[in-house]
Amino acid sequence: SSITGFNGSGKSTLIKVLAGVLEISRGSILIDDIHVNQLSVDWYRNNIIYSPQEPRFLDGTLKENIFGSNVVDERLMVDTLKKSDLFDYINNHEQGINMVLEDRGENLPIGIRKRISLARGLVNNGKLTFLDEPTEGLDKKGKEAVVQVIKDLKKEAKTIVIATNEQAIIDISDALVDLSSKPRPIIVKTKK
């Protein structure tokens, strides 16, 4: 599903609530008719692929920021980097995957930060995917990579919710919710 709307309509807030980054004060979130508060916090966190609009990183290597301290199979590492369109960028850097991110990566272009965030989310391989403006700041090749990742996640029957105004993503969405419609959002289209 895609969530669209004008700036300030609540797209990012909704994604943060669904991803468990923000708590809600009213209403409820149900997953397969089960209230999210009844689910194990560890299960929920382990089943989320989340890429925020403003990615934040730790001072450390790129590898640590994407894969953590886990021992990672090289094939999984390469596959993740290719899917997120980071492979060439890393191979063209003298330190490669061991490049050090300083200032929490804020000195990197937004397009690279978005790719790193997407790669970090894909490592989790969760069942629930929440992407907030995943194509913002990306070039054509990067946008195409994100659309392909979304198509791949759909083939794997993942639940995908994306805050976006990107037409290429809207075109492949099964449902479109427009938050610009007040006082209540409207479902603009649905596909079966």
Side-chain angles (χ1 to χ4, degrees), residues 7-185:
N7 290 346
S9 63
K11 298 184 304 289
S12 293
T13 299
L14 180 56
I15 292 291
K16 287 177 184 175
V17 166
L18 293 172
V21 176
L22 289 177
E23 290 186 26
I24 56 174
S25 57
R26 293 184 307 179
S28 57
I29 299 172
L30 302 175
I31 298 177
D32 291 334
D33 294 325
I34 299 171
H35 195 286
V36 73
N37 290 344
Q38 294 177 322
L39 300 172
S40 159
V41 173
D42 288 338
W43 180 89
Y44 196 68
R45 286 182 182 155
N46 289 329
N47 276 286
I48 289 179
I49 296 170
Y50 174 56
S51 182
Q53 184 176 15
E54 295 292 335
R56 304 250 189 260
F57 306 104
L58 303 172
D59 288 342
T61 68
L62 184 60
K63 183 178 181 182
E64 292 167 336
N65 273 280
I66 296 174
F67 301 101
S69 60
N70 300 325
V71 175
V72 180
D73 174 77
E74 188 169 331
R75 188 175 51 181
L76 171 66
M77 187 182 301
V78 169
D79 186 49
T80 301
L81 298 174
K82 284 185 176 180
K83 281 183 179 178
S84 59
D85 193 34
L86 272 173
F87 192 76
D88 292 338
Y89 174 77
I90 291 170
N91 280 337
N92 288 326
H93 194 279
E94 67 182 60
Q95 294 173 318
I97 192 77
N98 294 312
M99 74 175 76
V100 176
L101 301 185
E102 297 172 351
D103 297 323
R104 298 184 327 212
E106 291 179 22
N107 56 339
L108 295 171
I110 185 65
I112 297 300
R113 293 195 323 261
K114 289 294 224 178
R115 287 172 170 91
I116 295 169
S117 178
L118 180 61
R120 180 174 58 187
L122 290 173
V123 169
N124 196 22
N125 195 29
K127 298 175 183 181
L128 307 167
T129 305
F130 304 112
L131 307 176
D132 191 357
E133 300 288 357
T135 57
E136 183 180 58
L138 295 180
D139 57 16
K140 182 180 178 194
K141 186 174 178 247
K143 288 179 182 183
E144 289 170 355
V146 169
V147 169
Q148 187 58 54
V149 164
I150 294 166
K151 288 178 180 179
D152 292 345
L153 291 170
K154 283 180 71 170
K155 286 179 191 172
E156 296 172 22
K158 308 273 187 183
T159 298
I160 309 164
V161 181
I162 307 162
T164 188
N165 286 313
E166 180 73 39
Q167 193 61 49
I169 294 174
I170 292 169
D171 289 344
I172 61 171
S173 295
D174 295 332
L176 177 63
V177 178
D178 184 0
L179 294 184
S180 296
S181 175
K182 299 295 180 189
R184 293 196 170 131

